[in-house]
Amino acid sequence: MGVTNNSLWLCNANYLDVREGKIVENATIRLQDGMIQDVGCAAPVNASAVMDCSGKFVTPGLVDMHVHIVWDGGPAPVRTMLDEGNYVAAFRGLANAQACLKNGVTTVRDVGCPDDVAIHLSHAIRRGIVKACDIVPCGRALQITGGHVPEVGVIADTSDEILKAIRYLKSIGAKWIKIMATGGAYGPEEIGPVLYSEEEMSLIVRESHRLHMKVAAHALSKVGIINCIEAGIDTIEHGAVIPEEYLKKMKEKNLAYIPTLSVYKDLSAGHGVIPDNIIAKAQFVVENQKKTFKTAMKLGVNIALGTDAGSPGYGPHPSVLKEMLVMEEYGMDKATIIRSATLNAAAILENDRIGVIEPGKQADLVVLEKNPLEDLQAFSNIYAVVKNGARV
């Protein structure tokens, strides 16, 4: 996404220092050429562009680490995606990415799409052809025959097929590799089966890291998650059953947990909309996620916010506030929740330009009417969004 050449001053702002988890009052934030130039500087005497933020609260742009950008969040998003085809899916993905941006989500990581649509959409956004939130794309998810949601996957059953798929995805611009390590709640398969062996997962990690890509794994069952952790997969997505000893290993290895709590809570309560077998699997996930999430917090495992936005019965993009509220319900404090959607996510993405309000950082900001440290619902009352230094 192209940057603006105009300067913008945010005056009289109360901004959130996400590192310390506190509000810094009555500051001026100077933006220039898409970057934060100064924080706390004196207000300008004569400036061409000033946003008066008196009584407002400024946070870094939010990051959602787990979305399916082309899905619509209706009862059957996969069916809708197949009926519409890839060209319409791309336009739907663009509309969803624009909705994210308007609602303060300035970066998303897409973890599974048909025919690598999200990769091509990310190219168009980065080149300034269209305006939307930034997309960090995985492309199609690696999986075995009979895996989880094959409609957004590339089948790779053998070592040669795995290597070829990773290398192809790298060649067209994938930034991460996503794998389906176990079955899932949404689909005909059971949660338990481990879809890749530990040896195959280790191969995926070695090749991806060699090509300067990290790996995310859809993983719900105990054995599947243990295999992921032993192999060194960078982010465990969903993570229903993670024994305490393996949460400790995650911390030791600097692996991250992306729990996606609210989507399973919604699925588990989807009677009359979601099939009964999916509801039963989601209820199993919810029961175990509550325990895993609390233990991960206690142990200091790196947790970042991800939603599974676009998933069945989950509603329209974005879904970040829904996830924040469930994280709070399960025991995480507000400052830590916001950090999980800003600084923590940026670190996992290895993007040191976003996630914090400091000089030299990318000017992706959200201006709120109320203090989010008092009520996370503040993110539903947005005064302005700034992307790359320009007001959206």
Side-chain angles (χ1 to χ4, degrees):
M1 193 172 184
V3 300
T4 176
N5 290 320
N6 298 323
S7 63
L8 177 63
W9 299 73
L10 278 60
C11 297
N12 309 310
N14 304 304
Y15 77 89
L16 178 59
D17 179 343
V18 293
R19 296 188 194 276
E20 299 296 328
K22 66 180 184 180
I23 297 293
V24 179
E25 297 181 346
N26 197 33
T28 295
I29 304 169
R30 180 188 170 206
L31 313 180
Q32 182 72 42
D33 298 330
M35 306 296 287
I36 300 171
Q37 291 294 322
D38 295 292
V39 178
C41 53
V45 177
N46 295 302
S48 58
V50 174
M51 186 189 301
D52 184 5
C53 294
S54 299
K56 308 293 192 293
F57 295 83
V58 184
T59 75
L62 301 177
V63 181
D64 189 337
M65 290 289 288
H66 190 121
V67 309
H68 296 281
I69 201 68
V70 307
W71 286 0
D72 66 356
V78 174
R79 182 72 264 159
T80 299
M81 177 189 77
L82 293 175
D83 289 344
E84 291 180 341
N86 290 339
Y87 294 114
V88 176
F91 283 110
R92 186 180 290 281
L94 173 59
N96 289 335
Q98 290 173 334
C100 287
L101 180 57
K102 289 198 302 186
N103 286 278
V105 181
T106 52
T107 302
V108 300
R109 183 182 60 161
D110 184 87
V111 290
C113 61
D115 201 27
D116 309 313
V117 163
I119 295 176
H120 304 296
L121 179 55
S122 74
H123 292 331
I125 294 167
R126 191 173 65 254
R127 293 170 184 170
I129 298 169
V130 291
K131 293 184 178 181
C133 70
D134 290 331
I135 298 175
V136 180
C138 297
R140 289 171 291 165
L142 269 65
Q143 58 183 279
I144 66 167
T145 300
H148 178 58
V149 198
E151 296 86 352
V152 294
V154 54
I155 305 302
D157 284 319
T158 67
S159 295
D160 285 347
E161 289 172 344
I162 288 169
L163 292 174
K164 185 175 182 179
I166 292 170
R167 291 168 184 175
Y168 173 75
L169 288 166
K170 171 68 175 181
S171 75
I172 63 169
K175 301 303 180 185
W176 280 64
I177 294 296
K178 167 75 179 296
I179 74 165
M180 300 299 193
T182 72
Y186 180 62
E189 77 281 0
E190 295 302 314
I191 285 174
V194 180
L195 304 183
Y196 280 116
S197 68
E198 187 182 335
E199 292 76 17
E200 290 167 328
M201 289 184 189
S202 295
L203 172 64
I204 291 167
V205 170
R206 286 197 308 273
E207 184 65 8
S208 299
H209 287 184
R210 186 183 73 81
L211 295 174
H212 304 292
M213 293 185 292
K214 296 171 83 171
V215 183
H218 164 102
L220 287 170
S221 66
K222 178 179 175 181
V223 176
I225 292 169
I226 288 173
N227 284 359
C228 289
I229 294 168
E230 293 288 7
I233 283 177
D234 299 283
T235 62
I236 305 299
E237 313 291 315
H238 317 306
V241 186
I242 312 180
E244 183 167 338
E245 64 181 295
Y246 280 92
L247 286 168
K248 291 177 179 176
K249 279 196 173 185
M250 286 182 68
K251 186 176 180 181
E252 290 168 6
K253 292 185 171 189
N254 196 31
L255 311 180
Y257 179 32
I258 319 294
T260 68
L261 304 171
S262 58
V263 67
Y264 290 99
K265 188 178 180 187
D266 278 11
L267 278 176
S268 70
H271 300 281
V273 178
I274 304 298
D276 289 344
N277 67 316
I278 292 176
I279 290 173
K281 289 190 287 182
Q283 288 171 341
F284 165 84
V285 173
V286 169
E287 290 169 7
N288 285 279
Q289 275 186 331
K290 288 179 180 179
K291 303 170 190 173
T292 297
F293 185 68
K294 290 179 187 297
T295 306
M297 282 193 295
K298 179 185 73 175
L299 295 174
V301 174
N302 190 12
I303 298 173
L305 184 145
T307 64
D308 221 347
S311 288
Y314 198 38
H317 294 253
S319 304
V320 166
L321 178 57
K322 290 177 70 171
E323 183 69 11
M324 285 181 167
L325 295 175
V326 178
M327 294 170 88
E328 184 177 32
E329 178 187 339
Y330 289 2
M332 185 174 276
D333 67 84
K334 295 177 181 66
T336 306
I337 291 168
I338 298 169
R339 191 178 302 119
S340 79
T342 52
L343 192 60
N344 288 9
I348 295 165
L349 294 174
E350 297 183 340
N351 185 346
D352 62 2
R353 291 163 55 91
I354 63 173
V356 66
I357 299 175
E358 294 174 352
K361 304 299 183 182
Q362 190 167 306
D364 292 358
L365 305 169
V366 187
V367 185
L368 306 172
E369 295 281 3
K370 296 181 180 179
N371 186 349
L373 295 184
E374 294 178 355
D375 187 350
L376 291 170
Q377 288 285 359
F379 286 104
S380 67
N381 194 357
I382 294 174
Y383 175 75
V385 177
V386 175
K387 184 78 182 80
N388 289 329
R391 186 170 181 172
V392 174

